[in-house]
């Protein structure tokens, strides 16, 4: 949403994300990753195979245009040269888990934490499932040391810049909380302090761990810096995201 507001190419978007009172984000993806995972009989079982334009495309499920699982594969296709075909319109993640199990699609981009919580059998060494890359990671996830990050796979500086811009929302705004513009400063500071205090609460963190939810909070100041950083992205990466977001308006 901050990126949509900054690009400002949609007349229906009437907000400036820099004017919101950001309280923080529950996750910086520090303990998570957004992974490209495919089933044992997928058309491509490695990045090299997924980049082969002559072979059959890797068929990935998604919920819809504008959703993370709809947009990130497009970015990876264009930045890394992946041969991808998308099947969008699934209502939710459980239905996509089922579609992958049934062989309707080759795979999807998933939160690693979601797979661990809901389909742990996919992660067993003998499952036949493959994780081709991890997105929204500056470095490799400690539980996925053999899986390259999208940044590592970028063939050019321009491709890496695009990936870094696309990753910014997940790294700093994966689960954001905000108050409207105009909240008095003292009240804003109280809300921001309370937000971080809640995320340090032992009972809260224990419940999140039980549910498999990553809790790695980002403070308001870091969120504000991240939003400002987006405004200084390379013109080529910014223009790409502008075109991608503009393509959603007809859907």
């Amino acid at each position: 949403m901050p990126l949509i507001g900054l690009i400002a190419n949609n007349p229906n978007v009437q907000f400036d994300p820099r004017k919101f009172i950001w309280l923080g984000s529950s996750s910086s993806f520090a303990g998570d990753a957004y992974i490209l995972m495919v089933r044992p009989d997928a058309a491509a079982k490695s990045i090299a195979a997924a980049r082969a334009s002559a072979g059959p495309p890797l068929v990935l499920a998604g919920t819809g245009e504008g959703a993370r699982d709809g947009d990130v594969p497009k970015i990876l296709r264009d930045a890394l040269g992946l041969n991808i075909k998308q099947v969008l319109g699934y209502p939710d993640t459980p239905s996509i888990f089922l579609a992958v199990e049934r062989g309707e699609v080759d795979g999807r981009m998933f939160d690693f934490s979601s797979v661990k919580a809901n389909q742990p059998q996919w992660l067993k060494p003998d499952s036949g499932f493959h994780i081709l890359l991890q997105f929204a990671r500056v470095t490799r996830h400690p539980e996925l040391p053999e899986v390259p990050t999208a940044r590592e796979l970028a063939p050019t500086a321009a491709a890496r810049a695009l990936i870094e811009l696309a990753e910014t929302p997940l790294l700093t705004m994966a689960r954001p909380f905000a108050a409207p513009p105009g909240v008095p400063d003292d009240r804003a500071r109280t809300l921001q302090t309370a937000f971080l205090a809640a995320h340090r609460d032992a009972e809260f963190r224990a419940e999140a761990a039980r549910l498999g939810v990553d809790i790695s909070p980002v403070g308001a100041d870091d969120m504000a810096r991240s939003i400002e950083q987006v405004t200084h992205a390379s013109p080529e990466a910014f223009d790409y995201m502008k075109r991608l977001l503009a393509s959603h308006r007809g859907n």
Side-chain angles (χ1 to χ4, degrees), residues 70 109 169 172 224:
M109 299 291 301
T172 53

Side-chain angles (χ1 to χ4, degrees), residues 164-165 168 224-233:
E164 289 177 355
L165 174 60
T168 297
R225 279 192 290 270
S226 178
I227 292 170
E228 186 62 29
Q229 180 183 344
V230 168
T231 67
H232 299 293

